[in-house]
Amino acid sequence: MAASDWWVRLREKLGGIPTFVAPSRNSEARVAQTSEALRTLLEDKSVPANVRDELTEDFAHVQALLDKLAAGELHIAVFGRVSVGKSALGNALLGREAFATGVLHGTTRARNAERWHEVAGQGLHLIDTPGINELSGEERERLAFDVAAISDLVIFVVDGDMTQSELDALRTLGRTQRPLLLALNKADRYTVDERARLLARLREHSAGLVRAEDVIACSALPAERVVVQVAADGSESETRTAQPNDVAELDARVRAIAEREGKTLAALNAGLFAGDLSDRVAQRVALARKDLAQRVIRNYCLAKGIAVALNPVPVADLLAAASLDIALVLHLGKVYGMPLTRSEAGTLIATICAQLAALMGAIWGVHLVSSALKGVSAGLTTLVTAGAQGALAWYATELVGRAAEKYLVQGKSWGEGGAKRAVADIVASLDRDSILREARAAILARLRGQQTSA
Ligand SMILES: Nc1nc2c(ncn2[C@@H]2O[C@H](COP(=O)(O)OP(=O)(O)OP(=O)(O)O)[C@@H](O)[C@H]2O)c(=O)[nH]1
Ligand SMILES: [Mg+2]
């Protein structure tokens, strides 16, 4: 099957990219399906070891997602500008002082070396993040994506009407397909009327990104009430009374979501990540294969070039001698995970050679020999002539190898233009003279080495 058939299988299993508004029905089935897809990814033996090594972190993340799915945990991130009360809101939802809060901008960033801070409790797993206006545009985008990657639900916190950069950040989060809640914090600072107008405005801004009922006012850490009393003697005294927070509506909404679609959300997000990772794995696998194929072709070119140089054949026989390249083609089939039988390899080479002969018939004689010899000035020693013959064999093998590779990469197919077009493209894409030059140098170096060691 195709080179990366395992991820195609995985994609099929996941059934496309899910969007939010998850169907709650069948959520157990989806969780089971996603878990199985993730496990397939973890256990797939066709992922080469070096690719797996490069993506160790991602594979660890898949394992974590699996554990999370098993535990049915819901990860919630709070996101927004500095000092809007993200940490305070996290604390209010958790019911304890888990995150540092403060009047100074960048409290979260200053206190935590890491880019965000996670705390679990009350059946929730909260992720506190630094204020986005502390970051450059690019960093902000990366943070949004990173945060989204580890959360099932993002609470975007504002403390008034939205600024353009807040709206941009909200849109970025929207692109990650995470469900979003928009919290208008510090509601205690507004009158009932102002609050209603602000909520209406925020719903307008976030239309299409956040559902109207998910735009909610709250007061995570209301200002203390200060009462100044003036005594009979004119002296003043101040009493400060802490006010209870008001996050009940937001809390209820979060928990309703967690209850109703927690597992499904976690499964959807794990599915999104798995889809993403399988794309990356497929890309790396393709690169690793191409790299390996390149080395395989070069080795066969060198071996063939030396063999011909040691035992020169008439130039016209070079194409016929290309049938010796059967081992190369068999090897390439293995590299691309598409083993060929001997007779398939033979047919493939015959097809390629027929195209090459048709293409190069006219120039395959004198011109090529003179290109092979180009740059060799004086005294055509036997060694040099042999090197030139070997270089031609190398070039022919390279053409056969590249053409066979193309056929394999396309899933044992020549594509639309057929073999003729494919082979012509390969010939056109290779710089013949530089290959001949490199080939001759490599072959001569080997032959000289053999002569000295002999
Ligand atoms: N009036 C009022 N003040 C609040 C409310 N929530 C938070 N604050 C105040 O806002 C300031 C910032 O709160 P934090 O929770 O530290 O804000 P943050 O968004 O985490 O800030 P950074 O970590 O600096 O990005 C603090 O002085 C809080 O006391 C609220 O609901 N009402
Ligand atoms: Mg903070």
Side-chain angles (χ1 to χ4, degrees), residues 140-391:
R140 193 181 307 162
E141 189 145 301
R142 187 156 2 101
L143 180 67
F145 279 109
D146 289 354
V147 162
I150 57 163
S151 25
D152 303 304
L153 190 134
V154 179
I155 303 177
F156 196 96
V157 189
V158 294
D159 61 0
D161 197 2
M162 282 178 103
T163 64
Q164 187 57 45
S165 71
E166 283 176 318
L167 199 51
D168 289 345
L170 188 71
R171 289 198 181 114
T172 305
L173 282 170
R175 292 214 309 271
T176 68
Q177 317 216 21
R178 260 49 182 183
L180 297 169
L181 290 181
L182 180 55
L184 168 63
N185 190 35
K186 306 194 185 179
D188 57 297
R189 299 195 311 192
Y190 302 108
T191 64
V192 175
D193 194 39
E194 284 171 335
R195 206 184 289 184
R197 269 188 292 155
L198 270 173
L199 283 175
R201 186 57 171 268
L202 291 174
R203 287 184 179 124
E204 243 169 65
H205 279 317
S206 63
L209 292 168
V210 184
R211 286 179 288 188
E213 67 266 33
D214 291 339
V215 180
I216 297 167
C218 63
S219 305
L221 192 57
E224 294 171 330
R225 180 163 299 152
V226 183
V227 179
V228 180
Q229 282 174 318
V230 184
D233 64 359
S235 64
E236 289 182 2
S237 65
E238 210 181 75
T239 344
R240 291 177 169 265
T241 335
Q243 298 301 302
N245 68 34
D246 179 11
V247 293
E249 192 188 344
L250 186 71
D251 188 84
R253 189 82 196 111
V254 166
R255 283 173 203 284
I257 294 176
E259 185 115 327
R260 207 183 60 230
E261 29 206 10
K263 267 212 155 192
T264 313
L265 277 181
L268 285 176
N269 294 335
L272 280 177
F273 184 84
D276 216 52
L277 176 60
S278 52
D279 280 355
R280 265 176 294 152
V281 172
Q283 267 169 19
R284 300 286 177 92
V285 169
L287 275 181
R289 283 185 163 147
K290 199 170 165 51
D291 196 52
L292 183 57
Q294 226 70 295
R295 275 178 289 147
V296 166
I297 294 176
R298 201 195 142 86
N299 283 344
Y300 277 90
C301 285
L302 184 61
K304 179 83 170 299
I306 288 172
V308 170
L310 288 176
N311 187 13
V313 289
V315 170
D317 288 349
L318 274 178
L319 276 182
S323 65
L324 297 172
D325 296 341
I326 219 149
L328 163 62
V329 172
L330 289 175
H331 201 149
L332 287 176
K334 286 204 193 106
V335 169
Y336 282 99
M338 269 175 284
L340 297 160
T341 63
R342 270 193 161 264
S343 90
E344 272 181 307
T347 314
L348 181 56
I349 290 171
T351 309
I352 296 170
C353 287
Q355 295 306 327
L356 283 176
L359 261 172
M360 323 233 282
I363 54 159
W364 191 253
V366 181
H367 292 315
L368 261 185
V369 178
S370 65
S371 334
L373 293 175
K374 202 154 42 182
V376 179
S377 45
L380 287 183
T381 65
T382 337
L383 192 62
V384 170
T385 341
Q389 291 252 321

Side-chain angles (χ1 to χ4, degrees), residues 75-143:
H75 284 53
I76 299 166
V78 282
F79 202 84
R81 249 179 40 238
V82 285
S83 288
V84 289
K86 299 178 295 297
S87 301
L89 184 57
N91 290 340
L93 290 172
L94 285 166
R96 65 192 165 92
E97 297 286 303
F99 304 115
T101 61
V103 283
L104 298 181
H105 281 179
T107 302
T108 295
R109 178 175 243 204
R111 304 274 170 96
N112 305 308
E114 67 272 27
R115 292 203 298 154
W116 56 67
H117 190 180
E118 297 180 46
V119 174
Q122 301 284 310
L124 302 173
H125 190 118
L126 274 166
I127 301 153
D128 190 18
T129 64
I132 49 175
N133 40 346
E134 292 283 281
L135 310 169
S136 71
E138 202 180 301
E139 277 179 322
R140 193 181 307 162
E141 189 145 301
R142 187 156 2 101
L143 180 67

